[in-house]
Amino acid sequence: MMADLPGYMRSCLHTGKLAFLAILVSGGVVLQILACALYDNWWPMLTVLMYVLLPMPLLFFAGSNSSSLFSESENGWVNATKFLTGASTVGSIAIPAVLKHAGVIGWGALAMEFSSFFIFVLAIICYIGMNSEDDYSVL
């Protein structure tokens, strides 16, 4: 489908996809900051630590052949990558839940934290989908 379009049109569509990803990530960051600023409580920023740690196993252990992450593997490094990425993902959900359970944050901050998380997940899914159909794919 994309091969039939002229080069300038393909370039425009790729730019639009990139802009959409930038808007999603920016929205997630804004929700993260608003969850802290609106309720004058900066404890929910602990989740940012998990957002920073989340891609690290993929960068360090997956290497250039990250297609093995989507299939079963006997490779110990790939399994370690899957485990550490999953642990970081669970931590991104667990930190706000534990803070709410401890009474440190309110329901509004919890809702904004979870909204920020799901927007980031949507951005990652869109990124993977965008790269699977591109010629200059990273994943």
Side-chain angles (χ1 to χ4, degrees):
M1 179 182 141
M2 291 290 280
D4 297 339
L5 294 174
Y8 66 89
M9 185 67 82
R10 280 187 301 218
S11 175
C12 182
L13 289 174
H14 288 306
T15 305
K17 290 177 185 178
L18 188 62
F20 178 68
L21 287 175
I23 290 169
L24 280 177
V25 170
S26 298
V29 169
V30 167
L31 276 172
Q32 181 76 35
I33 292 171
L34 282 177
C36 299
L38 288 179
Y39 300 99
D40 198 27
N41 185 355
W42 291 92
W43 280 104
M45 273 298 190
L46 283 174
T47 310
V48 172
L49 180 67
M50 286 307 192
Y51 293 153
V52 170
L53 292 177
L54 187 65
M56 294 302 163
L58 295 170
L59 293 174
F60 294 140
F61 300 131
S64 60
N65 184 16
S66 52
S67 62
S68 61
L69 294 175
F70 301 114
S71 62
E72 287 193 35
S73 174
E74 296 296 322
N75 187 350
W77 290 111
V78 172
N79 289 335
T81 300
K82 290 177 184 179
F83 174 77
L84 292 173
T85 303
S88 297
T89 304
V90 169
S92 297
I93 296 173
I95 288 174
V98 168
L99 289 174
K100 173 61 184 117
H101 181 72
V104 176
I105 64 173
W107 285 107
L110 180 71
M112 286 184 145
E113 285 286 321
F114 284 159
S115 299
S116 172
F117 173 76
F118 288 117
I119 287 176
F120 281 131
V121 167
L122 180 64
I124 290 169
I125 290 170
C126 289
Y127 175 76
I128 290 171
M130 184 177 91
N131 273 337
S132 66
E133 63 190 34
D134 285 347
D135 296 333
Y136 51 89
S137 173
V138 173
L139 285 178

